[in-house]
Amino acid sequence: MGRRHDPMLLRAADPSTVGAGFHQAIAHRAGAHQNGRPCRYHDAVGATDLLTIVECGHPILRRPADPIDLVDLASEEMQDLIVQMRATMEAAPGVGLAAPQVGRSIQLAVLADGPERWGQLTEEERTARQRGPLAFTVLVNPVVHPIDEGADRVSFFEGCLSVPGLMGVVARHRAVRVEALDADGQPLARIFSGWAARIVQHEFDHLLGRLYLDRVETRSLSSSDNYVRYWAGRPPSEAARGLGFSLD
């Protein structure tokens, strides 16, 4: 993990630039309403074709993604892509998905976490991971800043939908501040902490052309089966002792 030049500090696009073109385009959608407001394409995951998740080795995963123009964000095609990415993430199942993972080199990611994704995690394990519910979130052209650029990092096993069959320990910032646009083109400024911060950093890496493999403790890499057999439900410190690596 590049401590002297942390990619978390790189800026993707200025989220404060919200033009009228987006709002004019979104206002001229079909007049459906939900709970008294215009119904957006991303409000529900309907019956839709799932997208193919590309795997490591595909060059698009190593290419910095392009910023999304606000007019393009307002388009039916882009709003449909958000719906499809959400459906694909939920079907996988996963807690995050970035557009490069479905073959689109644009700065777009979707996130969500909740009890349906926690599997057999005990309350003690969820507390250790600071893992709680994360409502469905869309990040467009995100800018991610660590809250503490120093040593406040935490290490846990991670996996990736684009790297099937493997798990590995990655050190991430415990909390990050995100500036982005949401799916409606509105500015979003939010602090994510705990497991939600890990999800954000993982997906932001995808938008920079990085995989978690670039940050992983290589001696921690385990097949998914061996992760379940040996390390699931145990603190990363035990994996560090057993596999011979150090934790940040």
Side-chain angles (χ1 to χ4, degrees), residues 41-121:
Y41 282 85
H42 55 271
D43 280 331
V45 178
T48 184
D49 292 334
L50 298 181
L51 302 169
T52 299
I53 297 175
V54 301
E55 298 182 357
C56 55
H58 194 299
I60 201 168
L61 294 175
R62 294 311 198 171
R63 183 186 311 156
D66 296 325
I68 297 174
D69 183 271
L70 282 169
V71 174
D72 293 335
L73 179 59
S75 69
E76 181 173 340
E77 176 188 3
M78 191 69 69
Q79 294 294 311
D80 283 346
L81 175 63
I82 292 172
V83 172
Q84 289 181 297
M85 286 179 60
R86 181 179 185 179
T88 302
M89 174 185 68
E90 293 182 347
V95 294
L97 189 67
Q101 292 181 274
V102 293
R104 299 290 300 273
S105 189
I106 54 176
Q107 293 180 16
L108 168 65
V110 298
L111 327 166
D113 196 13
E116 70 282 0
R117 294 171 171 84
W118 295 343
Q120 301 302 312
L121 286 178

Side-chain angles (χ1 to χ4, degrees), residues 212-231:
Y212 87 93
L213 296 176
D214 301 328
R215 300 182 180 273
V216 75
E217 294 288 348
T218 55
R219 291 184 67 98
S220 74
L221 284 170
S222 307
S223 68
S224 297
D225 287 344
N226 278 340
Y227 167 73
V228 171
R229 181 177 300 144
Y230 296 110
W231 311 120

